[in-house]
Every structure is written in structure tokens, then in C-alpha cells.
Amino acid sequence: MTAVTAQRITSAAQAREVAARLASEFAVDAAERDRLRRLPFDEVDRLAASGLLAVTVPAGYGGADLAASEVAEIVRILATADPNIAQIPHSHFVYLNLLRLAGSEGQRRRYLPQVLDGARIANAQSERGGATVAEVRTTLKPLGQRRFRIDGSKFYCTGSLFADLLAVLTRLDDPGGHGGLAPGEYIAYLPADTAGVEIADDWNALGQRTTGSGTVRFDGVIVEDVQLIERSGAVRAPTGYGAFAQLLHAAIDTGIARGALTAATQFVRAHSRPWFEAGVERAIDDPLLVQRFGELAVAVATAEATLVAAGSAVDLATDSAAADTVAAASLAVATAKIAADRAANEVAAALFEVGGTRSAAADLNLDHFWRNARTHTLHDPVRWKFQHIGRTLLHGTPPPLHGVI
């Protein structure tokens, strides 16, 4: 495990304060890290040492047990400074939630203390080459004596370069008796340095360049049944699992929108010249520029407000787990995701519109806001969010429980 000494956070107020402090520090070199593709190993160490990665650990296991809305706010704050760093622990929080929802008591006691001590979890979930993104071809092959072999390749494994534990989505096809495991999809929790695991630094997207989202390959990796959690325990019942995961994605995009607006404001105040037809001495007095900033501010405020509303809905769903409450949470998060997608992409692009030619200088790297927004918002299409919202209104059909809404 990574050698850090993690602090213990005990309240939401403390968590927000720590997140704000780290964000102010991370913001200083965020553009340069992006330009050079300098991976934030030191920054992620500091994030782990701060105790923020353990804030969802249940109180019974020594954690702060913070609500989903508070985790979303932590992520949003970090994303205003560096959305790469904000995205790295996304899967960490999601797979801690899976432990809470579907893990056994023994599994929680096995992994949660590691998280309290600073361990990080990263995903190894998505694959290429299947008919759809939902197809899982990485398999569990029974070896007897409650042991299994994993073979396969995973892509877009965000945070894997910084991880202590990998959460690997696998499929068990063999219906034979293997310690009571039924055929289905399982998440295997395994140390990142397990024999047969290869983590490649080959992520080459135009944005989110320092998230460590490369390829992970598994060649004869051996796991025991105690390392396996059946995924259906979280996604085949109204648990709010998907709503929580999507809430954090919305928080990242909302943070990007606020960060881009702040950067645009600072640049125009300090560097932009007014258009000659405006008849003013300062760019900030150009009435058309003032109008545009007002429009952008409304877009960001709308995203932030819908994120807060969605966070409250997910909190309710977490507490009740009633089908209608979970459905309402998924729809609220879908709304927040749409608003955040629009705001992040619009504001990040408008930064150059309001900043003028000077803002396009390559050494400033102000385009990292747009590249990050454009890349992260591709994670899952908002056009399907509209579909689920519309179907609920017109047909009374609740959103699905597949974990991506």
C-alpha cells in the first residue's frame, strides 16, 4: 500500500475546509501539469493523506460516514481547481459504496481499515471490442478451493496508476458450486501489485490527461472468493448506487464550469482590451461582454443549484432505499448531469469568446478547461438522460437500475 499517514476527518465542515485548502494548492500548477502531462502523484498522495478519501467509511468502522451530497461538494470543490485530480477518486468512492451495499461484514472489515489508512481504489471496468460498453468479457475461471483466475484487458481505468487496490469487473459463467457463488458479474478487489497485473500509462485523450486512465491487463491473476462481491447486490435493486456514481460525475462537470468562469473573469479583468466599437476604456465595461458574463454566470449557478438538489435526493434515497425515492434521485441526478454538461462545455468554450485573441496563447493553456469538459462529459451520453426523464413524465416508467443513471 502507498506509504501515507492519513488524517481522520470527522465532520462535513472539516471535509469542506480541507477540500478548499487542497483545491487552492492544486490550482496553482493545474494548467502546467496538464500542458506537460505531469502525473499528480504528489498531489494524490496529499489527497489521500488529508483523509478525504475515507469520508464515506461508515461510522461503525471508524469513518465520518458523510452523506452523498457532501462527497459531491468535495468533488466539485476539487474540480474547480483540477478536474483531473477530482476524477481520480471517483471510482474509489463508488466501490466503497459497493462494499457498503453488497459486501459482507468480513469484506468490509478487510478493506475499510485500509481506506482509513490512506489506501486508494481505482476501477478496471470498461472494455473495448464488445457489442456495447456493457458487455463484460473478462472472466473468472474456477480453480477449485475457492480460488479463481482472471484473464482480460480493461481500458479507461481512471486512477489505476495511483491505486493500491483495483476493483475489477469480471464475469463468472460456470454454474458449478464454487463456495456458493452463482453465475453473474463480480467485482474483484485485488492489490494493484498482484502478480499478473500490468498497468500501462497509455491514456492519450485530448482532455483529463493526468487522470491515469490507461489500460490494465490481467494474465493469470489469482483471486480468492473473499475478494469477490456480486455486483447485482447494488444494481439489481433500488439502492441508489447508480445515482451516487452519476452525482459525482455531475460534480466534476459543475466544478469545471465554475473553474472556467473564474479563469475567464480573471483574464478579462487583467488582460482583455475592449472592442473599439464599445466606446469604453476597459473590457469589463463593454455592455455586450457584461451581458455574456451574466449568461455564463446563470449557466454555472443553474448547474450548481441542480447539483445541490440532486445531492439531497440521493441522500434521501440512501436513507430509505424505497423504489420511488431511488427513482426520484436518479432523475434528479440526470437533470444535474444535463445542466453540468451544458455549463461545462459552454463556459469553457466561451472563455475564448470573452477573453479575445490573447486568451488563445498556447503557453497559457486555457484550453485545458474545454478539453477536460469535452472529454469528461463523454463518459455517458446525456441524450439518454433526456430519454429517461421524458419516459417517466409521459409513461410513468421509472428509470432503469443498471447503475448509469
Side-chain angles (χ1 to χ4, degrees), residues 76-221:
R76 186 199 68 81
I77 291 170
L78 293 173
T80 63
D82 188 336
N84 291 266
I85 293 174
Q87 189 183 351
I88 288 167
H90 175 277
S91 296
H92 173 91
F93 288 118
V94 170
Y95 288 111
L96 282 180
N97 196 31
L98 183 73
L99 272 170
R100 181 181 67 84
L101 292 170
S104 67
E105 176 67 14
Q107 288 168 326
R108 287 189 284 269
R109 294 202 176 278
R110 178 186 182 119
Y111 295 113
L112 294 180
Q114 296 180 42
V115 172
L116 286 170
D117 288 340
R120 311 115 189 221
I121 304 171
N123 86 84
Q125 178 168 311
S126 294
E127 299 182 8
R128 291 175 180 166
T132 72
V133 70
E135 183 176 340
V136 180
R137 299 194 294 178
T138 299
T139 58
L140 285 171
K141 180 181 178 180
L143 299 178
Q145 297 181 337
R146 301 177 180 269
R147 297 168 74 240
F148 299 82
R149 170 174 172 155
I150 299 176
D151 293 283
S153 294
K154 298 290 187 176
F155 302 88
Y156 316 123
C157 300
T158 298
S160 55
L161 290 172
F162 314 97
D164 301 295
L165 295 168
L166 296 174
V168 187
L169 177 58
T170 62
R171 191 186 76 241
L172 176 63
D173 295 325
D174 190 335
H178 301 289
L181 298 186
E185 294 181 356
Y186 288 82
I187 300 296
Y189 290 74
L190 67 152
D193 59 359
T194 299
V197 174
E198 178 192 354
I199 302 175
D201 180 15
D202 60 357
W203 176 239
N204 65 350
L206 63 88
Q208 295 297 91
R209 299 176 63 205
T210 64
T211 55
S213 300
T215 302
V216 180
R217 299 180 182 89
F218 304 92
D219 183 8
V221 175

Side-chain angles (χ1 to χ4, degrees), residues 212-404:
S213 300
T215 302
V216 180
R217 299 180 182 89
F218 304 92
D219 183 8
V221 175
I222 306 302
V223 297
E224 298 179 356
D225 61 352
V226 294
Q227 296 173 258
L228 303 173
I229 296 179
E230 191 170 10
R231 191 168 178 265
S232 64
V235 299
R236 299 299 180 219
T239 63
Y241 177 77
F244 174 71
Q246 289 293 303
L247 179 71
L248 302 190
H249 281 305
I252 293 168
D253 296 333
T254 301
I256 294 174
R258 174 58 67 183
L261 183 60
T262 299
T265 303
Q266 293 171 343
F267 187 87
V268 170
R269 284 174 174 171
H271 303 293
S272 294
R273 295 183 296 177
W275 184 243
F276 68 93
E277 291 179 282
V280 296
E281 294 183 0
R282 302 182 305 171
I284 61 173
D285 296 323
D286 180 339
L288 297 183
L289 201 65
V290 171
Q291 173 75 18
R292 187 64 176 128
F293 266 97
E295 293 168 351
L296 298 176
V298 168
V300 175
T302 299
E304 291 173 339
T306 54
L307 181 68
V308 171
S312 296
V314 176
D315 289 349
L316 288 174
T318 302
D319 291 338
S320 75
D324 57 345
T325 305
V326 171
S330 288
L331 296 173
V333 172
T335 302
K337 187 74 163 56
I338 291 167
D341 183 301
R342 288 175 168 176
N345 284 296
E346 179 185 9
V347 178
L351 190 160
F352 301 100
E353 172 192 336
V354 297
T357 306
R358 293 184 181 186
S359 63
D363 62 308
L364 297 176
N365 197 32
L366 290 174
D367 59 306
H368 78 278
F369 290 103
W370 181 84
R371 287 186 291 100
N372 290 333
R374 184 62 283 168
T375 300
H376 183 257
T377 54
L378 296 174
H379 185 275
D380 53 284
V382 295
R383 60 184 179 272
W384 276 96
K385 313 295 183 188
F386 286 110
Q387 283 288 311
H388 296 309
I389 293 169
R391 289 173 182 177
T392 300
L393 280 173
L394 294 175
H395 304 152
T397 305
L401 298 173
H402 52 48
V404 195

